[in-house]
Amino acid sequence: MPTLSRLVALSTVAILGFAGQALAHAQLTKIVPADKATVATSPAELDLHFSEELDIKFSGVKITGPDKAMVKTGDATLMDEGKTLMVPLPEKLGPGAYAVEWHVLSTDGHKTNGTYGFTVKP
């Protein structure tokens, strides 16, 4: 095999290898309550579904309420083979808009984070 062909083949393999690693991050696939949703009653928990298995020790959420105060949460747990982060809400949420900041570490070592929000009807 000529040197140029060998170099092109090795470059292609390297590029595909790095692209596969970039796609391995845990992507948020579904949230309950959904982003920008308006719910009639206070949710008992937040469920964040991901494409990859998570490490619970380095995953969690921070919730702020309508008055920008922190919302108390219970201890997060993993469900669905470690791909769903379930965060209990031990106290009822009052009416208003809520912001959720999440951060997760997938078991392959990749960190991801993001934000979303929902509203509880009066």
Side-chain angles (χ1 to χ4, degrees):
M1 180 181 271
T3 304
L4 183 57
S5 296
R6 194 174 309 144
L7 181 60
V8 169
L10 287 173
S11 297
T12 301
V13 169
I15 289 170
L16 291 175
F18 287 122
Q21 288 177 348
L23 296 174
H25 290 66
Q27 300 297 316
L28 186 62
T29 59
K30 178 182 172 186
I31 43 181
V32 178
D35 186 26
K36 299 181 182 132
T38 299
V39 296
T41 60
S42 174
E45 65 188 41
L46 302 181
D47 294 323
L48 290 81
H49 303 265
F50 291 88
S51 60
E52 304 287 329
E53 189 176 347
L54 306 176
D55 183 334
I56 190 69
K57 290 186 255 179
F58 302 102
S59 301
V61 302
K62 181 174 86 171
I63 306 169
T64 53
D67 56 359
K68 306 295 183 220
M70 295 296 298
V71 173
K72 182 179 178 182
T73 63
D75 292 332
T77 59
L78 293 177
M79 303 182 325
D80 302 324
E81 299 177 352
K83 293 182 179 180
T84 299
L85 183 68
M86 191 278 290
V87 181
L89 299 172
E91 298 176 7
K92 285 191 142 206
L93 301 179
Y98 290 84
V100 180
E101 293 181 43
W102 59 267
H103 63 276
V104 297
L105 177 70
S106 58
T107 54
D108 64 5
H110 291 110
K111 297 177 186 178
T112 53
N113 59 48
T115 60
Y116 73 96
F118 64 93
T119 302
V120 176
K121 279 186 181 180

